[in-house]
Amino acid sequence: MPDEKKQKIIDATYNIFIYGKYEDVNIRDIAKKAGISIGSFYQYFHDKDDLYLYFFTCIEMKYMDKQKEKTSSILFGKETIPIEEVCTQIEVEFNRTWYKVPMEVMQKFYFGEYSRELHACLMDELMEYKYAGKLKDSVDTQFIFHLYTTSMFNILNYFRDNDITDENERLEIKKKYYQDIFLNGILKDLEDK
């Protein structure tokens, strides 16, 4: 895709999803705002969910790459970098729309092709720890990877069910879960974290 066309689609996508309700967004509006034909849209994306998940995944990858670069670990890092230090303001705002998308879209993300692509680096990190002897001997990395992915989905469900909207509270809940439960269950020695 030419850079100019890609930027128009990015800008249109971010703005439409930030300022509109997910269910009300349609491909016709995105194409019109991006200045492309509907046919051009379908050359690059299957549907609205595919468009949304593609750009959401790009932001998540950007964030995870920076986390790995700064702390040398995504799963086992001692600190979490605020997304505002990694992404532009509009990327941060688009990323926050995640908490409002339908559950079906979240399921596509956590259990579909985007999950495999995004979380491949997490599996690599699990394997590094396994080969370094830092994981408990009983740990099945495929199973742990599955638990990690499904727990992310379930944490989002928990936030929705309990109307937890504060970013800092969400972050603390996630950190507590991963430090106290997830990592505690798979690492041989918590000193390795």
Side-chain angles (χ1 to χ4, degrees):
M1 178 186 309
D3 288 343
E4 185 179 331
K5 184 182 272 191
K6 184 176 182 179
Q7 193 56 52
K8 284 182 178 181
I9 294 172
I10 291 170
D11 294 342
T13 301
Y14 287 175
N15 283 304
I16 284 177
F17 284 105
I18 289 169
Y19 299 111
K21 187 176 177 184
Y22 190 92
E23 292 83 350
D24 295 339
V25 172
N26 64 59
I27 291 164
R28 185 176 316 277
D29 292 338
I30 294 166
K32 184 178 177 182
K33 190 161 182 86
I36 61 170
S37 69
I38 292 175
S40 286
F41 175 89
Y42 284 112
Q43 285 181 329
Y44 304 109
F45 304 101
H46 301 293
D47 55 20
K48 173 177 75 172
D49 294 351
D50 186 39
L51 170 81
Y52 181 89
L53 291 173
Y54 173 79
F55 287 113
F56 180 76
T57 301
C58 288
I59 292 170
E60 290 292 299
M61 289 294 289
K62 179 179 177 179
Y63 178 78
M64 288 171 59
D65 288 346
K66 188 57 136 180
Q67 179 76 26
K68 177 101 176 172
E69 177 188 312
K70 188 169 181 183
T71 66
S72 74
S73 177
I74 298 165
L75 282 173
F76 304 104
K78 290 184 180 180
E79 72 175 286
T80 302
I81 303 168
I83 192 168
E84 294 82 4
E85 289 182 21
V86 178
C87 297
T88 65
Q89 185 58 41
I90 197 159
E91 288 172 330
V92 170
E93 289 175 35
F94 179 76
N95 187 270
R96 288 187 178 139
T97 65
W98 180 242
Y99 294 104
K100 298 175 187 170
V101 301
M103 293 306 293
E104 298 81 33
V105 177
M106 290 182 173
Q107 286 173 324
K108 286 180 184 181
F109 177 75
Y110 285 111
F111 306 108
E113 68 184 82
Y114 287 103
S115 176
R116 286 186 292 278
E117 179 185 333
L118 180 65
H119 293 122
C121 55
L122 299 176
M123 181 54 124
D124 291 345
E125 201 168 290
L126 274 173
M127 295 309 291
E128 286 173 23
Y129 269 66
K130 181 178 181 86
Y131 294 135
K134 295 179 180 181
L135 297 182
K136 292 179 181 177
D137 295 334
S138 63
V139 167
D140 176 335
T141 53
Q142 289 291 331
F143 181 64
I144 293 302
F145 179 74
H146 181 77
L147 285 179
Y148 175 82
T149 303
T150 56
S151 65
M152 288 295 291
F153 178 73
N154 284 316
I155 288 170
L156 287 173
N157 280 326
Y158 176 79
F159 293 160
R160 283 188 177 195
D161 290 349
N162 292 284
D163 198 29
I164 299 170
T165 58
D166 181 74
E167 289 293 320
N168 291 327
E169 184 177 3
R170 288 176 179 160
L171 185 59
E172 284 305 310
I173 290 169
K174 285 182 192 178
K175 281 171 55 176
K176 187 163 180 52
Y177 167 76
Y178 289 108
Q179 291 295 317
D180 294 352
I181 299 171
F182 185 76
L183 295 180
N184 230 350
I186 67 172
L187 291 176
K188 278 187 180 177
D189 184 357
L190 290 179
E191 298 289 316
D192 292 338
K193 291 191 296 183

